[in-house]
Amino acid sequence: LLALRTLPETKDADFTWADFQAHVNNELADNIGNFVNRGVQFVHKYCDGVLPELSNPSEEDQAALAALADFPARIGAMIDESRMREAINEVMALGRLGNKYFNDSEPWATRKSDMERCGNTLHVSLQICASLSILLDPFLPFTAAALRRMLKVEGVRSSEAGGSEGTLGWADAGAPLLKGRLKLGEAEILVRKVEDEAIEAQKALLTERAEAAQADRKSVV
């Protein structure tokens, strides 16, 4: 995903560790990873790990679910046309939509005053996560599979499996996939941030390998 996200499609590549770190931390960890983690952890902590059913949804709840409908076709068309950076941007946009909905709905507050409303927020948020578990698959198949394990989304035709078996396809990500009263799987950290120490370690390793390769060439001469 990061290679597709950072490499330009019409000119030479210009990779920097700073860009790599920023994309992982800001887009994957703080956007997708944080959204998933908050929703799943909230359900485990306050709902005994059971996804609440959708009950008397508000206009905001319905609007968030309705927004899912166009994402599969839009992202799929971009992939078909090899517009991979745009396709990834759309996946990230869905993550931002989920984060905004979660923040605006404030389930940490409504759990004390209106548990039905809080439950709806969690239900809708995890429906968005379920859609992400399919739409992320072409770019981050193992991350998408981990998300599906948490949400118990099964029967997906996954790029990780390398086949076409399964009952859920790409277009299914445009509609709610999870049933109310679903017992979630164990929570996992979906995306870990890249720390400065890890970047420095990679730089040192590359320098060491370059020096070893140069020494080997000299010994041959």
Side-chain angles (χ1 to χ4, degrees), residues 106-139:
E106 300 182 336
W108 54 88
T110 58
R111 78 173 183 85
K112 301 176 182 178
S113 59
D114 188 344
M115 198 57 198
E116 181 181 72
R117 183 179 171 191
C118 175
N120 286 345
T121 298
L122 298 175
H123 183 98
V124 172
S125 295
L126 265 62
Q127 295 290 5
I128 296 173
C129 290
S131 294
L132 284 168
S133 79
I134 293 178
L135 300 179
L136 272 173
D137 200 82
F139 311 106

Side-chain angles (χ1 to χ4, degrees), residues 33-83:
N34 183 57
F35 172 54
V36 170
N37 182 67
R38 288 197 297 172
V40 172
Q41 292 285 8
F42 210 103
V43 171
H44 275 291
K45 185 173 182 178
Y46 297 111
C47 305
D48 296 323
V50 177
L51 180 68
E53 294 187 78
L54 190 64
S55 176
N56 300 314
S58 67
E59 290 184 8
E60 291 77 14
D61 299 331
Q62 295 178 60
L65 290 174
L68 291 175
D70 295 333
F71 275 92
R74 191 159 63 240
I75 296 170
M78 292 171 181
I79 294 174
D80 289 342
E81 296 168 7
S82 298
R83 294 154 54 200

Side-chain angles (χ1 to χ4, degrees), residues 15-18 21 196-211:
F15 174 86
T16 69
W17 283 108
Q21 186 179 28
D196 293 340
E197 293 80 2
I199 295 294
E200 293 306 316
Q202 287 298 314
K203 289 180 179 179
L205 179 61
L206 291 174
T207 299
E208 179 182 334
R209 289 177 176 175
E211 290 174 349

